[in-house]
Amino acid sequence: MDLSLKIKKINEFNEYILQDKKSKKEYNLVLEFCGINKPNINDIILLNENLVNKNYEGYAQPYAFEIFDKKDIEINEIDMAGLITKDKKYILKRVYG
């Protein structure tokens, strides 16, 4: 996971305003989270940089994530994500988008 993105704002329809912790560049992504509570402002999302690159052939909106299950051994790195909240850390997998 190349990018560490801090949630700056959450708009209607699950549009997240994210800021790269290193470069301070901002991204707008529509994100859905299945099986966990929605993240909050100041939580951190770890993503592969291709998922924010509009020129990447697999770029799509929205992206949906669920808890990674150890049975998912055939998963590509780009489909992995992380979520760091005030109370917990999650390893997630992309299920669509």
Side-chain angles (χ1 to χ4, degrees), residues 5-97:
L5 304 168
K6 184 175 185 175
I7 299 173
K8 301 299 282 181
K9 187 175 179 185
I10 304 170
N11 293 327
E12 288 184 306
F13 310 111
N14 296 323
E15 179 190 32
Y16 288 76
I17 309 303
L18 309 166
Q19 184 179 53
D20 186 314
K21 289 182 75 175
K22 288 182 187 173
S23 72
K24 304 300 182 200
K25 183 175 180 181
E26 288 196 356
Y27 300 94
N28 296 26
L29 291 176
V30 177
L31 303 172
E32 296 176 6
F33 297 89
C34 308
I36 62 172
N37 292 332
K38 288 173 64 170
N40 295 303
I41 292 173
N42 294 323
D43 288 348
I44 305 295
I45 297 174
L46 308 169
L47 289 178
N48 183 289
E49 65 185 341
N50 284 322
L51 296 181
V52 298
N53 179 356
K54 293 180 180 180
N55 296 319
Y56 171 62
E57 64 183 22
Y59 178 86
Q61 294 291 305
Y63 292 122
F65 297 95
E66 67 183 15
I67 298 290
F68 175 77
D69 188 328
K70 292 179 183 173
K71 294 182 283 186
D72 299 320
I73 57 174
E74 294 293 325
I75 193 164
N76 294 324
E77 180 182 334
I78 195 167
D79 294 323
M80 300 293 296
L83 175 62
I84 302 169
T85 69
K86 183 175 80 170
D87 302 319
K88 288 191 172 189
K89 295 179 181 178
Y90 299 93
I91 298 174
L92 306 172
K93 69 175 181 178
R94 182 169 55 132
V95 291
Y96 67 83

